[in-house]
Amino acid sequence: MPQRLLFVRAVNVGGARMPMAEFRELLASLGGTRAATLIASGNAVVEVEGDAAAFDRAVEAGMRDRFGFDREVISRTAAEVSASLAEHPLPVEDAARSYVCFLDRIPAPEAIEQASAVPTGADRWALGEHDLHLRFEAGAGTAELDLTRLLKALGVIGTARNLRTVDRMIQLAATRAAAGLAPRSTDR
C-alpha cells in the first residue's frame, strides 16, 4: 500500500489539542494503515490506498468532528519530501533554524512577486519546486519574517517543519517501509 507523510498545520498549539494516540486511531478509522507519529505536532507516516488528497480531506473532517478544530493536512510521498529536503536552497548553519514549509499548491507568479515585498529582516525564504524554504537567522521564535503574512501574500496554505524533523520523518518512513513494522509512535 502506498505510504504518505502527513503534516497537519498548527496542532498542539493555540488550543488545538490532538493526542497522537487519538490521531493514529483517527487515521486507522479512515482506512490508513500502519500509522506512526513523530513528535506531538501533527506528523504521521501512514499507508493509504486510493486518492491521497481525498484521504487528507477526510482527515481534516475527522479532526473537526473528533477534536473540534479546523486544521489543514498536507501530505507527500517520502520521495517528494526527500526531494524537497535535498533541494533546500538556503544556507543551513543550524538545521533547527532552517525549514521546509509544505504548501497546498504552487503559488501563482503574480503572488510570488507580491510576496517579495513582505519584510524579512535577516530571515530568508525561497520557493522550491513544490515547497517553501525558510531560514530564520535567530530562530523561528524570534523571527523577523512573518510566515503567516508571507503565506497570505503567496495565496497558499502551508505548514513548516525544521530540517531535523523533515529528516526524521524521511527516516521513519524508510525504516517502516523496509521493515514492515507494526504501528508505533516516537512521540515525546
Side-chain angles (χ1 to χ4, degrees):
M1 195 175 304
Q3 191 180 64
R4 300 294 292 181
L5 284 68
L6 275 63
F7 302 95
V8 182
R9 187 187 65 77
V11 294
N12 293 330
V13 294
R17 297 285 176 222
M18 183 172 69
M20 292 298 101
E22 291 182 37
F23 183 42
R24 290 188 301 275
E25 289 172 6
L26 172 64
L27 296 174
S29 74
L30 297 171
T33 59
R34 297 185 41 199
T37 52
L38 178 72
I39 62 177
S41 59
N43 306 308
V45 175
V46 63
E47 292 180 356
V48 177
E49 191 65 50
D51 183 355
F55 183 78
D56 294 352
R57 301 302 72 82
V59 173
E60 291 169 351
M63 288 187 304
R64 185 178 318 108
D65 294 344
R66 187 168 186 162
F67 303 111
F69 55 76
D70 288 308
R71 292 295 187 268
E72 294 83 4
V73 174
I74 298 172
S75 72
R76 302 278 192 270
T77 65
E80 290 168 334
V81 174
S82 293
S84 191
L85 181 62
E87 78 172 354
H88 190 74
L90 303 171
V92 179
E93 295 172 14
D94 180 352
R97 294 181 179 189
S98 294
Y99 287 72
V100 174
C101 184
F102 299 100
L103 303 178
D104 68 333
R105 64 186 171 282
I106 304 298
E110 57 275 4
I112 296 169
E113 185 175 323
Q114 181 178 1
S116 68
V118 173
T120 62
D123 302 331
R124 296 289 172 257
W125 65 272
L127 281 169
E129 187 174 340
H130 299 287
D131 299 307
L132 177 65
H133 298 271
L134 305 157
R135 180 170 170 256
F136 297 111
E137 184 67 28
T142 57
E144 295 178 73
L145 171 62
D146 181 340
L147 181 56
T148 301
R149 183 175 172 189
L150 177 60
L151 292 171
K152 185 175 181 176
L154 289 169
V156 296
I157 295 168
T159 185
R161 301 297 188 273
N162 71 38
L163 298 189
R164 287 183 187 162
T165 300
V166 173
D167 186 56
R168 287 179 65 199
M169 285 289 287
I170 294 165
Q171 290 175 25
L172 178 60
T175 300
R176 295 181 65 69
L181 296 173
R184 70 174 183 84
S185 172
T186 57
D187 301 335
R188 291 185 184 167

